[in-house]
Amino acid sequence: MADSSFDIVSKVDKMEAENAVNQARKEVTQRYDFKGTDPSVEWSGESILLKANTEERVKAILDVVQTKFIKRGISLKSLEDGEPYPSGKEYRIEVGLKDGIASDQAKKISKIIRDEAPKSVKSQIQGDELRVQSKSRDDLQSTIALLKGSDLDIDLQFINMR
């Protein structure tokens, strides 16, 4: 019998992210507490730029954006939010989207699998994803449960279970 396998990836659904940004932009422009603060939420492919005239307001806009991402089913682990910084008469925060698993994170996940998963489970790094193989599907499912329970700072999805 052939080995069973699955892939571990970390991807953000671009359409859902864009919808969350559009909802946040709409809410920020309509809310009373943002009137007169020149709020702005701009989407530019891989990052989101938040602008307001005070540091507190730009942090409040970040909170609105995070809320919209949660409602859209996108984990906050997928966001890389920076610190507010002044730019002229306004404050800005740049929020990046994490897409793919970095090599150091992949090595950390692979080490967790090697140390704590059943011995029949093997993993290999393939670019920005990991392939996990074993003869036993039960071992693969226990590996998924192990990784879901571990404290990693990236959002993982488990796909292509064969």
Side-chain angles (χ1 to χ4, degrees):
M1 187 172 116
D3 283 0
S4 299
S5 68
F6 68 87
D7 294 332
I8 303 172
V9 295
S10 179
K11 301 228 182 282
V12 177
D13 185 358
K14 297 287 188 226
M15 292 308 296
E16 287 295 329
E18 190 172 347
N19 289 339
V21 169
N22 288 336
Q23 285 179 342
R25 180 183 304 126
K26 188 174 181 180
E27 180 174 328
V28 163
T29 57
Q30 291 178 350
R31 271 183 36 183
Y32 179 75
D33 57 335
F34 287 116
K35 294 284 187 234
T37 61
D38 298 327
S40 168
V41 178
E42 297 173 11
W43 170 261
S44 62
E46 293 298 316
S47 65
I48 305 161
L49 182 64
L50 312 175
K51 300 178 193 173
N53 63 3
T54 65
E55 188 174 345
E56 292 78 29
R57 289 293 96 197
V58 80
K59 286 181 179 177
I61 293 172
L62 176 63
D63 187 46
V64 169
V65 169
Q66 289 174 339
T67 303
K68 296 302 178 187
F69 268 79
I70 290 171
K71 284 185 179 177
R72 286 300 212 171
I74 301 173
S75 173
L76 292 183
K77 291 180 180 180
S78 302
L79 294 178
E80 268 182 54
D81 38 302
E83 290 298 313
Y85 62 91
S87 175
K89 294 182 178 180
E90 64 188 11
Y91 281 83
R92 297 179 177 195
I93 295 179
E94 286 190 32
V95 180
L97 295 175
K98 295 180 189 175
D99 209 18
I101 301 174
S103 63
D104 58 328
Q105 289 287 339
K107 289 176 185 174
K108 186 176 179 182
I109 294 168
S110 190
K111 181 172 175 20
I112 290 172
I113 292 171
R114 209 174 33 249
D115 293 345
E116 300 176 30
K119 293 300 172 198
S120 68
V121 177
K122 304 287 182 244
S123 68
Q124 68 186 76
I125 300 170
Q126 297 178 334
D128 62 349
E129 59 185 51
L130 270 88
R131 163 105 3 116
V132 180
Q133 296 177 322
S134 175
K135 292 200 181 300
S136 167
R137 283 181 161 259
D138 291 339
D139 288 350
L140 289 179
Q141 289 175 343
S142 67
T143 303
I144 290 174
L146 169 74
L147 290 173
K148 283 183 178 179
S150 60
D151 185 28
L152 298 168
D153 58 346
I154 58 173
D155 184 35
L156 298 178
Q157 292 93 32
F158 307 97
I159 60 171
N160 296 339
M161 182 73 146
R162 301 186 195 107

